[in-house]
Each structure stands twice: as structure tokens, then as C-alpha cells.
Amino acid sequence: MKVLLVGSGGREHALAWKLTQAPNLEELHAAPGNPGIAALGRCHPVRAEDGEGLLTLARSLEADLVVVGPEAPLVAGVADELRHVGVPVFGPSSGAARIEGSKTFAKDVMDAAGVPTAESLSIARPPCVIKADGLAAGKGVFVCHDQAQLDVALHAASSFGDSIVIEELLEGEEISVFALCDGARALALPAVQDFKRAEDGDTGPNTGGMGSYSPVAGFGPAEVEEILETVHRPVLEELAARGVPFVGVLFAGLMLTDDGPRVLEFNCRFGDPETQSLLPRVDGDLLGALARAAAGDLSSVDLDVSDAATVTVVLAAVDYPTANDVGSPIDGLEDAAEAGALVFHAGTALKGDRLVTNGGRILGVTSTGATVAEARERAYAACKYISFPGMRYRSDIAAMVHV
Ligand code: AMP
Ligand code: GLY
């Protein structure tokens, strides 16, 4: 198969790494990709949001499958355009991607499907959570414990221009549960925990994610299957009934409250940096599964998952998430890889043949072990080999986890 992978982050590098292990892969192409992906396949200078450019590229490559990584092109309808000309796509239509693109749509679907979620409130009164309706790259959610926080939140949320959602403030641990979907069926992937705050001890501003690990204690295959039954499958059924069947990864962000799991949000794609910890645990043929999902029939697919544990530590720019870093030289990747780690590029570029920073989250370092504690020790040991000016990372990813 010839595969075109859309995107340029750490998630896409992890997907590229996994896809190149597939027995049926003939050629891997990426748009636009990154220097890490360029070592595994051919990168083309087409942006992920450039629907027309992707269409032309997919046709000229005679791609057998397009795998779309990020949400923005999906919400914008890139998958629809490709399908319209007969190119198989792993990724939802714009109608189905609204499950991530619009919080009010997601709430409406969950209500209709009977999926447990935070209660919607009609009046903004603390404690509560304010969410801007549309895509906001993780910056549109405000957790308000008091009136001062609420005042700031209402002002900030209105700057996104869309309507807002007000919901009850929930407390508990968060997990990410992913399912591969073919429009009707959902196939479970291992649960992952992500660390969203910028600083140790879950303090500082929210980010795209500073690290992740898998497996999550208490969330083995049986528990994940139960979540799929109560969350993913009812949503799939509801979307299909509305004429927008979901093909791709349905990603539920859940909070484990004292009253049971509650959905905080849905995403229409793989998580970043969850994917970097998830895919090294998948032993089966991921490409085969994505192709079957895109073809609308996952019924005969079974993906083996290993018992191994994984930990991913994100190496970020000095001012992330406030500002990116561009052009600072990066060293030590080979040494980290030699120490046994997988080093996934997220925000890097080549200046001549020098690897330099080019973003907020620069690299992800993933290690595997028999336990989370072992994987964690290895990941942090590998991080020590890597350096760039201002490099920083959380020191408590997967700490206190003894699986
Ligand atoms: P979301 O983009 O909806 O996942 O929200 C981002 C983060 O805000 C989540 O990972 C939670 O930490 C927090 N959050 C979202 N909704 C709620 C809620 N109803 N109660 C408490 N925290 C929430
Ligand atoms: N790590 C959270 C996300 O991908 O949305």
C-alpha cells in the first residue's frame, strides 16, 4: 500500500514509525511531515490545512490510503474532499468531526445517546467550567472555582467569538480512551494518561500535553471495553443515525469521578502525546486496521496489545505554551536512541543539515519497560542525552505509578 500521512507533529512521527513496520506498506509519504518522519518516508511541502494541495498530492501519488493526524483539516472537511474523488481516508467527515469541532454539538449527541458527561448549566455561577464552543487548540476551557476566575473566563471565552457551554465542575483523575471506528463498529486501543499542565505537580497553564504513559492502573482491556460500550458505541450509533457516520479515531477524554467515568470531551483523532505511548504497545498490524476502518469493515480485525509499559516525556521550548522557539540547535538524539529510547520529533526543522527547534513541543522521548516505573526510569535517563537552549520538561511524568 501507498500511504499519505497528513500532519507534522510527534503524533504523526509515532504513526509513521508504526506504519513503516506494516507488512503491506510499499511507500510512506507525508504532508508536510517533519525531519523525524523524513527518515522513514518522503515528505512533501503541502500543509495539512491545504485541502486542494492534499487532493492533488494524493492523486499524483495514487495513494491507497490517506491517514489524517490533526483535527483542523478534519473539521475543515479534508476527508470529505478526498473521499469525494474516491481516495480511501482514515479520518472522519467534517460532519462527524463536529464531535470535536463544536462543544454544543458534542453535548447534544451525548444527551441523545445517554452518555455520562458533566451536567450542562444554564447560569454561570462558580464552581463551574466555561468552554468556548469551537476549536481552540486546548485554550478554550476555563475551570472556575470562584467569581474572579469566572469573570476572567467569560471575558476570555467570548474572545473566541462562538457561543459558550457552561458545565458542572467535576473532580477526579483523567484518562484518554481511544477506539478505531469504521462508521458502525469500535475497536479498543489501550487507555493512556496524559499530563496537560506545564509544570510539575499539575501546576501552571494547560498545554497540548507534557507527557503520557500506558497502561493505566485499573484500566485494562475489560474496563476499556466497558467504556466503549457506555461511551463510544452509543455515540457512533447516534452519529450514524444523524447521517454522519464516524470513521477514524474516536478519542474520549474522561474524568473518573466518585460517581463513575464522565466524558469531558471528544476528539476526532489520535491524542498527542498519547499516541507516542500508545503505539509502541500495539503489536498488531496497525496499517491493516486503519485500512479496514477506512473501508468500513473492522469486523474481522483484532489488534494485539503487549503487556509492556511505556512512558513519554515531552521536551519543550523555554516559554512553551506561551511562545515557540525557532532555530536553536538540538544535540544528542543519537545517544538517546542508542540508550534504547524512541525519540519522536514534534517541533523540529533542518537548517542545512543541522537539526534545530521549530515549535513549542520540540521532541518526545518514549521508553518501554516491564513496568511503568521501569519505562519511566529509562525515558528520563534518555532525556539526559538531549539538549537545546532553554530545553525543559516535567520531572514527574508517570511518577507515583507503580504498575
Ligand atoms: P477539554 O478540552 O474539554 O478536555 O478540557 C481541557 C481540560 O479542562 C480537561 O482535560 C480537564 O482538565 C478540564 N475540564 C474540562 N471539563 C471539565 C469539567 N466539567 N470539570 C472539571 N474539569 C474540566
Ligand atoms: N493530549 C490531548 C490531546 O491530544 O488533545
Tab-separated table of all heavy atoms in Angstrom, residues 194 196 208-209 251 265 267 269-274, ligand 2:
chain	number	residue	atom	x	y	z
A	194	ASP	N	-2.502	11.309	30.190
A	194	ASP	CA	-1.773	12.449	29.625
A	194	ASP	C	-1.565	13.474	30.743
A	194	ASP	O	-2.359	13.536	31.671
A	194	ASP	CB	-2.688	13.002	28.514
A	194	ASP	CG	-2.293	14.347	27.963
A	194	ASP	OD1	-1.096	14.654	27.954
A	194	ASP	OD2	-3.187	15.096	27.528
A	196	LYS	N	-1.448	17.340	31.273
A	196	LYS	CA	-1.767	18.547	30.484
A	196	LYS	C	-1.098	19.820	30.983
A	196	LYS	O	-0.838	20.728	30.202
A	196	LYS	CB	-3.279	18.772	30.485
A	196	LYS	CG	-4.039	17.777	29.628
A	196	LYS	CD	-5.369	18.343	29.170
A	196	LYS	CE	-5.993	17.508	28.068
A	196	LYS	NZ	-6.560	16.242	28.547
A	208	GLY	N	-0.768	21.356	25.307
A	208	GLY	CA	-1.233	20.236	24.488
A	208	GLY	C	-0.968	18.906	25.172
A	208	GLY	O	-1.591	17.895	24.853
A	209	GLY	N	-0.043	18.878	26.128
A	209	GLY	CA	0.317	17.640	26.831
A	209	GLY	C	1.826	17.562	26.997
A	209	GLY	O	2.563	17.768	26.035
A	251	PHE	N	-11.823	9.604	20.284
A	251	PHE	CA	-10.977	9.750	21.471
A	251	PHE	C	-11.836	10.412	22.540
A	251	PHE	O	-12.282	11.544	22.374
A	251	PHE	CB	-9.777	10.596	21.031
A	251	PHE	CG	-8.943	11.305	22.064
A	251	PHE	CD1	-9.179	11.258	23.429
A	251	PHE	CD2	-7.860	12.062	21.635
A	251	PHE	CE1	-8.383	11.947	24.341
A	251	PHE	CE2	-7.059	12.761	22.532
A	251	PHE	CZ	-7.340	12.705	23.889
A	265	GLU	N	-14.677	15.539	27.049
A	265	GLU	CA	-14.646	15.995	25.656
A	265	GLU	C	-14.423	14.802	24.749
A	265	GLU	O	-13.935	13.749	25.182
A	265	GLU	CB	-13.505	16.989	25.437
A	265	GLU	CG	-12.142	16.353	25.651
A	265	GLU	CD	-10.973	17.136	25.065
A	265	GLU	OE1	-11.200	18.088	24.299
A	265	GLU	OE2	-9.828	16.776	25.365
A	267	ASN	N	-12.499	13.936	21.001
A	267	ASN	CA	-11.658	14.394	19.908
A	267	ASN	C	-11.840	13.424	18.752
A	267	ASN	O	-12.195	12.255	18.949
A	267	ASN	CB	-10.189	14.458	20.335
A	267	ASN	CG	-9.982	15.509	21.423
A	267	ASN	OD1	-10.456	16.635	21.313
A	267	ASN	ND2	-9.318	15.138	22.494
A	269	ARG	N	-9.586	12.279	16.565
A	269	ARG	CA	-8.232	11.953	16.083
A	269	ARG	C	-7.442	11.303	17.204
A	269	ARG	O	-7.906	11.237	18.340
A	269	ARG	CB	-7.564	13.267	15.703
A	269	ARG	CG	-7.780	14.244	16.897
A	269	ARG	CD	-6.940	15.415	16.955
A	269	ARG	NE	-7.310	16.258	18.071
A	269	ARG	CZ	-6.812	16.162	19.306
A	269	ARG	NH1	-5.888	15.249	19.594
A	269	ARG	NH2	-7.221	16.962	20.270
A	270	PHE	N	-6.236	10.854	16.898
A	270	PHE	CA	-5.330	10.335	17.924
A	270	PHE	C	-4.868	11.488	18.825
A	270	PHE	O	-4.765	12.636	18.381
A	270	PHE	CB	-4.081	9.725	17.293
A	270	PHE	CG	-4.261	8.337	16.733
A	270	PHE	CD1	-4.346	8.120	15.361
A	270	PHE	CD2	-4.305	7.236	17.581
A	270	PHE	CE1	-4.489	6.839	14.848
A	270	PHE	CE2	-4.438	5.955	17.078
A	270	PHE	CZ	-4.535	5.754	15.711
A	271	GLY	N	-4.539	11.190	20.083
A	271	GLY	CA	-4.041	12.191	21.014
A	271	GLY	C	-2.545	12.415	20.845
A	271	GLY	O	-1.819	11.551	20.365
A	272	ASP	N	-2.109	13.585	21.238
A	272	ASP	CA	-0.684	13.930	21.192
A	272	ASP	C	-0.339	14.583	22.528
A	272	ASP	O	-0.873	15.646	22.821
A	272	ASP	CB	-0.457	14.910	20.037
A	272	ASP	CG	1.014	15.146	19.761
A	272	ASP	OD1	1.852	14.789	20.614
A	272	ASP	OD2	1.330	15.697	18.695
A	273	PRO	N	0.421	13.958	23.415
A	273	PRO	CA	1.384	12.873	23.214
A	273	PRO	C	0.911	11.471	23.620
A	273	PRO	O	1.753	10.605	23.863
A	273	PRO	CB	2.532	13.307	24.129
A	273	PRO	CG	1.829	13.890	25.325
A	273	PRO	CD	0.585	14.538	24.780
A	274	GLU	N	-0.407	11.205	23.635
A	274	GLU	CA	-0.844	9.854	23.994
A	274	GLU	C	-0.383	8.801	22.977
A	274	GLU	O	-0.016	7.683	23.338
A	274	GLU	CB	-2.372	9.788	24.100
A	274	GLU	CG	-2.949	10.444	25.338
A	274	GLU	CD	-3.424	11.857	25.078
A	274	GLU	OE1	-2.807	12.544	24.227
A	274	GLU	OE2	-4.394	12.280	25.724
B	2	GLY	N1	-3.188	15.298	24.599
B	2	GLY	C1	-4.515	15.747	24.414
B	2	GLY	C2	-4.935	15.881	23.022
B	2	GLY	O1	-4.322	15.367	22.102
B	2	GLY	O2	-5.963	16.517	22.802
